[in-house]
Amino acid sequence: MTRKDKKKNRETKIKRESKTDMESLTAAKALSPVTMAAVLQPSNNNTLQVPGENRSVSSTPSGSPSPSRNDCSIAPLTPSPSPRAELRPHVARPFSVVVAIDFGTTSSGYAFSFADDPESIHMMRRWEGGDPGVANQKSPTCLLVTPELRFHSFGFAARDSYHDLDPEEARHWLYFDKFKMKIHSTSDLTMETELEAVSGRRMRAIEVFAHALRFFREHALKEVKEVWSAALEEDEVRWVITVPAVWRQPAKQFMREASYLAGLVSSDSPEQLLIALEPEAASIYCRKLRLHQMIDLSQRPTTNGMDLDGSRLFDSSFRQAREQLRRSRHSRTFLVESGTGELWSEMQTGDRYIVADCGGGTVDLTVHQIEQPQGTLKELYKASGGPYGAVGVDLAFEALLCQIFGADFIESFKAKRPAAWVDLMIAFEARKRTAAPGRANGLNISLPFSFIDFYKRHRGQSVETALRKSNMNIVKWSCQGMLRLTPEAMNELFQPTINNIIKHIEELMQKQEVQGVRFLFLVGGFAESPMLQRAAQNALGRNCRIIIPQDVGLTILKGAVLFGLDPTVVRVRRCPLTYGVGVLNRFVEGRHPREKLLVKDGRDWCTDILDRFVAVDQSVALGEVVRRSYTPARVGQRKIIINIYCSISDDVTYISDPGVRKCGAITLDLPDPEPQAGAAAAGNNGIATSERREIRTTMQFGDTEIKVMAIDMATNRTVRANIDFLSN
């Protein structure tokens, strides 16, 4: 087949695929709930449909009370057995290449694949630099910014440059390390949220992330063009960025906005960027695994490539996997199965499995069910997890140092000698990766000379004296001038984080939807730890087979590329929250509280009723949509702003109930009405009438992001619809 024929086939495929995409734009202003109630009355035109099917349910008629809490202007959304994409006014883009960026807490990287050759995944070029004793497959997620707030370097180059700065000079530079965690922990994330550098200086988080993404964009495009012989336009590139599945909509939108700022794509072409959920990406890649590309902990518990008795090496399948891994790293090109791998071939429709993405900052759990013969995936339980990543071991080590040397000294050292503190944590990271259960010898941690000197100046005594006075038998001072952590000390550092991971997986397995899982896939950088592997096998190995893919740290990156090539592979997802808007309904005495009564034109209305779009843990199929019709509150209105509310529970009735919070807003920019439409109905004091303009909105909850579009039904023209989760 010629390149021209391949390109033609590729364009045909992507045109089909792009019909399922929906433009996702941003920026809106919040409107008060009172004004919201005046704008939003339940309409006879509120429907819920699976596109392409003659299946819809009308909501409660306007002004009539709903018979129960669950009948609040919305019908249950059920997944279609075979959802079809809705025809939308959408321009297809012939993507020639997919570039995925795995933006991790501790390390990041990129990979790409061409639409003409989707079975080949090209990994990023190996970087200069690295840590002694650590095989670096990706680049550390650290950024160095000049005192003038200009980008200087990223990754190993940033770390080395910061290390070489004079201590006084380093206090003016901005060095950011493991900064992704801030996005997860910030409850009120906005475009103005700031990050604090190691030196204490602050910078807008959106600019920090944009600097990092811009760095990856430049390097990735350079490598792509080296491989791609033909001319490549930037709009032919589809970008994929990975985020934890437990991230909520504001964090996902934040990464999208950072991508726009970095120049990955234009905000006018949002379909060119996909947000991939990390455990989902890993699950997609695991579908391709062959038997020699994985390690089954259930067959032989191992530690550091040895049996638990320390006597025998892994069997020949492990050596074969390592040999293939060595060759793959040399070529930087991974070949994947065109269909599904050998493990998947023995799975049947309905088989369930868990993917535990154990990364640097978070642990993400997703539960999938395989759908044969098409090989698509169905999510069985909403994504869960928490801040139980490998960073927890680092924090435990810092707490140990505070216990020995004093918290005030550690804080002072971090502020006065920030580069030396980074060096100390790098040294600990290298030794942390060698920790293993059953290890007889301790681990030596090199203390920077500036730490030893600074402590003597600060306290007037040596670090050796401090160790003796601390009465900590698990930490000693070695004759080589290093901290010596006994195996018991390393175990104490790991156990709290590992216990949280195991507890979360065990609680998930007890859920009714999750019972009967056959496999547990451990992926992510922390899954390489023998400490975690042993704990998982001991606690969970009797319930299911525990599988670790080879080169486990790159599993998410490879899966993100496959997701970019085929975003429809996950057919059904679970909604993480209940979403809805506040509406008016006919007031019913004895059922609605008196404080919710609003009298308008002689009619009694109940305010603040939550009109559900979707409920928490509800199954939503790809391509399924929720429709609502809204009318302007007054003639000539040019904008409708609709506040979105969410809750972790479905047991809510009003937007003022405990646990319900405003999380975003939809903005509908209304075009000038047609002359005949402009003369339509009169005002009614802000309560919309049936003669007013009908703006039909269509919302999609089955993708990794919530998307919205709108049409003016009188003119059949598209209305500019923005959904914003960052303006609160």
Side-chain angles (χ1 to χ4, degrees):
M1 183 181 291
T2 65
R3 180 177 293 273
K4 185 175 181 180
D5 292 333
K6 288 182 179 179
K7 186 173 182 180
K8 184 177 180 180
N9 289 343
R10 179 177 71 247
E11 291 176 356
T12 303
K13 176 183 177 183
I14 294 174
K15 284 180 181 177
R16 289 198 305 266
E17 171 190 298
S18 63
K19 290 179 182 179
T20 64
D21 291 337
M22 186 188 300
E23 219 170 292
S24 173
L25 303 173
T26 54
K29 246 173 149 188
L31 195 71
S32 70
V34 176
T35 311
M36 262 282 303
V39 173
L40 303 180
Q41 277 188 86
S43 162
N44 284 332
N45 296 319
N46 290 356
T47 59
L48 194 70
Q49 284 189 337
V50 176
E53 293 191 8
N54 186 18
R55 183 169 66 126
S56 65
V57 182
S58 296
S59 65
T60 307
S62 178
S64 64
S66 51
S68 70
R69 144 182 103 69
N70 288 324
D71 190 17
C72 186
S73 309
I74 189 169
L77 181 63
T78 54
S80 163
S82 180
R84 292 186 288 274
E86 184 181 34
L87 294 177
R88 301 188 180 99
H90 185 84
V91 179
R93 288 186 178 274
F95 299 111
S96 300
V97 61
V98 170
V99 180
I101 300 175
D102 180 13
F103 203 111
T105 300
T106 56
S107 60
S108 301
Y110 60 84
F112 56 92
S113 181
F114 298 101
D116 287 340
D117 187 17
E119 296 171 19
S120 298
I121 299 177
H122 305 268
M123 305 305 299
M124 59 186 280
R125 181 178 290 117
R126 291 178 64 82
W127 302 91
E128 295 295 330
D131 303 330
V134 178
N136 293 291
Q137 301 163 347
K138 294 187 289 187
S139 178
T141 308
C142 45
L143 173 76
L144 183 60
V145 179
T146 68
E148 296 76 29
L149 303 184
R150 291 196 296 267
F151 173 83
H152 181 272
S153 50
F154 183 88
F156 292 118
R159 241 166 44 177
D160 293 343
S161 298
Y162 191 60
H163 172 273
D164 292 338
L165 289 173
D166 178 85
E168 284 302 314
E169 187 181 7
R171 296 172 61 184
H172 302 288
W173 287 64
L174 290 83
Y175 179 82
F176 297 96
D177 187 21
K178 299 179 177 67
F179 51 88
K180 179 183 173 183
M181 284 289 289
K182 177 70 173 180
I183 305 306
H184 175 75
S185 59
T186 301
S187 58
D188 55 347
L189 183 65
T190 71
M191 297 287 285
E192 302 303 320
T193 297
E194 292 185 333
L195 295 179
E196 183 175 328
V198 173
S199 61
R201 293 191 60 184
R202 304 182 70 85
M203 185 176 182
R204 288 176 66 213
I206 194 77
E207 295 175 0
V208 173
F209 279 80
H211 278 315
L213 291 172
R214 191 178 298 114
F215 169 85
F216 281 120
R217 172 188 175 275
E218 294 171 357
H219 281 262
L221 288 180
K222 181 180 178 182
E223 285 195 47
V224 168
K225 291 175 181 178
E226 289 175 358
V227 180
W228 183 258
S229 55
L232 181 68
E233 299 296 330
E234 291 193 8
D235 61 359
E236 292 183 80
V237 181
R238 165 175 273 171
W239 294 88
V240 182
I241 296 179
T242 65
V243 302
V246 292
W247 274 17
R248 296 186 176 176
Q249 293 300 321
K252 295 176 184 177
Q253 183 185 337
F254 179 90
M255 292 301 291
R256 179 170 285 276
E257 293 293 338
S259 301
Y260 294 155
L261 185 60
L264 263 68
V265 301
S266 167
S267 59
D268 295 328
S269 304
E271 73 282 356
Q272 201 178 339
L273 171 67
L274 296 179
I275 300 296
L277 308 182
E278 290 167 357
E280 266 193 14
S283 179
I284 292 169
Y285 177 71
C286 287
R287 294 163 59 249
K288 304 287 187 178
L289 287 175
R290 299 181 67 95
L291 293 179
H292 69 270
Q293 294 175 318
M294 64 185 76
I295 302 169
D296 189 342
L297 294 185
S298 305
Q299 293 180 357
R300 177 176 295 172
T302 56
T303 300
N304 260 11
M306 304 288 289
D307 282 348
L308 291 185
D309 59 10
S311 61
R312 292 171 295 174
L313 291 172
F314 278 129
D315 58 16
S316 59
S317 64
F318 179 79
R319 292 196 298 270
Q320 186 179 0
R322 283 299 185 193
E323 176 62 19
Q324 179 174 337
L325 173 58
R326 185 190 64 79
R327 293 175 181 173
S328 298
R329 284 180 180 169
H330 180 72
S331 65
R332 294 192 300 116
T333 300
F334 287 82
L335 299 179
V336 296
E337 293 287 310
S338 56
T340 55
E342 293 168 313
L343 183 64
W344 247 249
S345 64
E346 65 179 74
M347 296 181 73
Q348 301 176 358
T349 297
D351 279 350
R352 307 172 177 189
Y353 63 93
I354 296 175
V355 175
D357 170 25
C358 307
T362 58
V363 168
D364 258 351
L365 305 179
T366 192
V367 186
H368 279 164
Q369 188 175 59
I370 189 74
E371 296 181 317
Q372 300 285 26
Q374 64 270 36
T376 53
L377 302 174
K378 176 182 179 180
E379 189 176 32
L380 295 180
Y381 190 78
K382 64 178 181 177
S384 60
Y388 315 135
V391 170
V393 183
D394 300 344
L395 295 176
F397 176 64
E398 182 178 339
L400 178 67
L401 294 178
C402 291
Q403 191 175 348
I404 297 172
F405 302 108
D408 59 332
F409 167 76
I410 294 299
E411 289 303 315
S412 178
F413 180 73
K414 289 166 66 175
K416 300 291 181 61
R417 299 291 187 269
W421 172 255
V422 171
D423 288 344
L424 174 57
M425 296 309 296
I426 291 173
F428 174 72
E429 174 71 21
R431 305 308 294 152
K432 178 180 75 175
R433 298 192 181 206
T434 65
R439 183 186 178 111
N441 300 325
L443 294 174
N444 290 333
I445 311 292
S446 297
L447 289 180
F449 172 77
S450 57
F451 184 97
I452 299 171
D453 181 66
F454 194 78
Y455 184 79
K456 192 166 186 178
R457 293 170 181 264
H458 195 272
R459 292 284 200 240
Q461 63 182 17
S462 67
V463 295
E464 184 178 2
T465 302
L467 273 170
R468 283 200 306 268
K469 289 183 177 180
S470 68
N471 294 321
M472 297 193 67
N473 296 326
I474 60 175
V475 182
K476 303 182 182 300
W477 183 249
S478 78
C479 59
Q480 298 171 312
M482 291 186 282
L483 277 183
R484 186 167 181 80
L485 302 183
T486 64
E488 293 77 16
M490 292 303 294
N491 188 62
E492 286 193 14
L493 296 181
F494 273 86
Q495 280 312 305
T497 298
I498 289 178
N499 288 342
N500 280 329
I501 296 173
I502 300 301
K503 179 182 177 182
H504 202 91
I505 296 176
E506 288 177 333
E507 290 176 350
L508 179 63
M509 285 183 166
Q510 292 174 3
K511 303 291 184 182
Q512 183 177 355
E513 303 90 333
V514 186
Q515 291 179 1
V517 295
R518 290 191 59 191
F519 298 95
L520 168 63
F521 291 91
L522 292 181
V523 302
F526 197 21
E528 296 177 343
S529 169
M531 304 284 281
L532 177 58
Q533 293 177 13
R534 163 74 80 87
Q537 177 57 29
N538 289 345
L540 309 168
R542 291 183 296 273
N543 301 324
C544 60
R545 290 172 61 184
I546 301 177
I547 305 294
I548 301 179
Q550 69 162 34
D551 219 6
V552 64
L554 298 179
T555 301
I556 294 168
L557 183 53
K558 297 173 191 174
V561 173
L562 296 176
F563 176 71
L565 292 167
D566 181 13
T568 65
V569 64
V570 181
R571 194 186 67 84
V572 179
R573 292 183 174 89
R574 293 279 185 150
C575 192
L577 297 169
T578 295
Y579 288 100
V581 297
V583 299
L584 297 174
N585 238 337
R586 181 71 67 85
F587 185 86
V588 178
E589 192 70 42
R591 178 183 168 206
H592 295 136
R594 295 293 299 177
E595 61 267 21
K596 299 292 183 184
L597 175 63
L598 173 69
V599 179
K600 280 281 188 179
D601 299 325
R603 301 180 69 180
D604 293 347
W605 298 89
C606 181
T607 64
D608 295 343
I609 291 181
L610 179 70
D611 173 22
R612 286 171 183 75
F613 293 155
V614 288
V616 61
D617 204 31
Q618 178 177 327
S619 290
V620 186
L622 192 66
E624 248 175 350
V625 296
V626 178
R627 289 197 177 93
R628 289 290 185 274
S629 291
Y630 301 112
T631 59
R634 60 185 183 277
V635 176
Q637 186 173 335
R638 293 293 177 264
K639 183 175 290 189
I640 297 178
I641 301 176
I642 307 164
N643 288 331
I644 303 175
Y645 296 85
C646 68
S647 171
I648 61 174
S649 169
D650 187 38
D651 187 23
V652 291
T653 304
Y654 305 99
I655 62 175
S656 56
D657 284 349
V660 180
R661 61 185 177 86
K662 179 174 146 340
C663 62
I666 297 174
T667 301
L668 306 176
D669 292 323
L670 306 183
D672 291 333
E674 299 294 328
Q676 63 271 24
N684 266 352
N685 293 327
I687 301 298
T689 67
S690 59
E691 289 111 358
R692 282 214 176 98
R693 298 170 68 185
E694 176 188 350
I695 308 299
R696 179 169 294 177
T697 62
T698 302
M699 286 156 285
Q700 191 168 342
F701 291 86
D703 284 338
T704 58
E705 298 174 274
I706 298 175
K707 301 176 182 179
V708 62
M709 66 171 293
I711 294 178
D712 187 336
M713 299 305 293
T715 62
N716 206 33
R717 287 194 295 174
T718 299
V719 174
R720 183 180 176 88
N722 302 327
I723 186 165
D724 183 19
F725 293 96
L726 289 174
S727 61
N728 293 308

